[in-house]
Amino acid sequence: MAQQESIIKLKGRIGDLTFYETKDGYQARQVKGVSPQRIATDPNYQRTRENNAEFATGAAAAKRLRDTLRPMILLTYDPKMPARLFSRVMRVVKADSVSDRGERQVLPGNLGLLSQFGFNVGASLASTLFVVPECTVDREAGSVTLNIPSLVPSLTIGAPKGATHFQFNFGAAVIDFDTEGEGNGSAIAMAESGTGLLTAETFAPTTLTAAIPAASELPLFVLFGISFYQEVNGKLYPLNNGAYNPVDIIRIDVV
């Protein structure tokens, strides 16, 4: 334990040193953490080992989701999305009522907890589009279809200020949470509508189709979103780099 002699008295932590006040004056001491070996072997840290193991399981599953769904995620923007997604995935891990604590996994039957997850907390699909598309899944044929009904953009789309056009984005992904490394079977297919004018009287019914591996038994995630554009001198530009674009998980299908 060291005594602070400086005229500037410190409180708090800097690096591995902690500064604090006692009845004997201002002191400083080095913080000593628990050694990794002790955490790995000491019975008193059993719960810590269990938590660390499930943390790693959740982190790996969240990364698999982000990596596979990245082409859709890039259509929007939310810097806090990875943390929110990890938190939701940990709910899936903890919902495992079969495995022992510390060994709980991402089970297909619990993936419904990820349903309606929005990749942009600042723009949800429910508050942007006021019609409900119909999704059809044919696993044997390897086809996922989204039917969007005819709509009046000014009445059914909550467009941000400055937007002049919109586009529907659709993605279907099968995700393998069990196999490590490349070639694990995870894959995504995407489709998009033509651009529509927000001031148009109507936007015609639209059918979007994405191909997935035929007869796949992997969990299927269906994503849907809207991209907004601004027309300048006859060219369309993404509005504010996607900050207003919602992309949500609208369906999760498990075998």
Side-chain angles (χ1 to χ4, degrees), residues 143-158:
S143 175
V144 183
T145 303
L146 194 73
N147 292 307
I148 306 167
S150 175
L151 54 86
V152 179
S154 61
L155 299 178
T156 57
I157 298 177

Side-chain angles (χ1 to χ4, degrees), residues 46-65:
Q46 176 64 26
R47 178 63 62 85
T48 300
R49 290 193 292 273
E50 294 167 352
N51 291 339
N52 288 347
E54 293 186 351
F55 184 96
T57 296
K63 183 177 186 301
R64 179 65 51 81
L65 277 166

Side-chain angles (χ1 to χ4, degrees), residues 157-191:
I157 298 177
K161 184 178 181 180
T164 59
H165 291 72
F166 67 96
Q167 181 181 62
F168 294 123
N169 308 112
F170 170 53
V174 290
I175 304 201
D176 184 351
F177 290 103
D178 298 324
T179 308
E180 297 295 332
E182 296 183 3
N184 56 53
S186 299
I188 185 172
M190 294 172 55

Side-chain angles (χ1 to χ4, degrees), residues 150-155 197-203:
S150 175
L151 54 86
V152 179
S154 61
L155 299 178
L197 187 64
L198 285 165
T199 55
E201 292 186 2
T202 60
F203 186 76

Side-chain angles (χ1 to χ4, degrees), residues 18-239:
T18 297
F19 300 89
Y20 58 100
E21 183 181 8
T22 71
K23 64 180 181 180
D24 297 319
Y26 288 86
Q27 311 288 335
R29 66 183 175 189
Q30 186 174 20
V31 178
K32 294 183 179 180
V34 180
S35 70
Q37 182 179 5
R38 183 179 177 189
I39 292 177
T41 58
D42 192 329
N44 292 326
Y45 287 92
Q46 176 64 26
R47 178 63 62 85
T48 300
R49 290 193 292 273
E50 294 167 352
N51 291 339
N52 288 347
E54 293 186 351
F55 184 96
T57 296
K63 183 177 186 301
R64 179 65 51 81
L65 277 166
R66 294 197 314 272
D67 289 347
T68 306
L69 304 179
R70 181 168 287 113
M72 285 291 293
I73 295 173
L74 288 176
L75 296 173
T76 187
Y77 178 73
D78 179 359
K80 296 183 179 179
M81 182 277 296
R84 292 192 300 108
L85 181 62
F86 171 73
S87 178
R88 187 75 72 91
V89 170
M90 285 305 299
R91 288 170 55 185
V92 177
V93 173
K94 293 177 181 179
D96 178 357
S97 60
V98 180
S99 307
D100 292 336
R101 189 174 62 199
E103 299 178 359
R104 290 179 291 188
Q105 302 295 317
V106 174
L107 300 181
N110 298 326
L111 287 173
L113 292 169
L114 294 172
S115 184
Q116 308 307 316
F117 179 83
F119 290 91
N120 184 359
V121 72
S124 70
L125 188 60
S127 63
T128 305
L129 180 66
F130 307 112
V131 297
V132 180
E134 180 183 355
C135 181
T136 303
V137 176
D138 187 340
R139 280 187 174 268
E140 288 302 314
S143 175
V144 183
T145 303
L146 194 73
N147 292 307
I148 306 167
S150 175
L151 54 86
V152 179
S154 61
L155 299 178
T156 57
I157 298 177
K161 184 178 181 180
T164 59
H165 291 72
F166 67 96
Q167 181 181 62
F168 294 123
N169 308 112
F170 170 53
V174 290
I175 304 201
D176 184 351
F177 290 103
D178 298 324
T179 308
E180 297 295 332
E182 296 183 3
N184 56 53
S186 299
I188 185 172
M190 294 172 55
E192 60 186 29
S193 71
T195 55
L197 187 64
L198 285 165
T199 55
E201 292 186 2
T202 60
F203 186 76
T206 303
T207 298
L208 302 176
T209 303
I212 61 173
S216 173
E217 295 185 353
L218 292 173
L220 170 67
F221 290 74
V222 180
L223 284 74
F224 181 54
I226 308 175
S227 295
F228 291 104
Y229 298 88
Q230 184 177 70
E231 183 178 9
V232 179
N233 296 330
K235 294 183 179 181
L236 296 181
Y237 297 88
L239 188 66

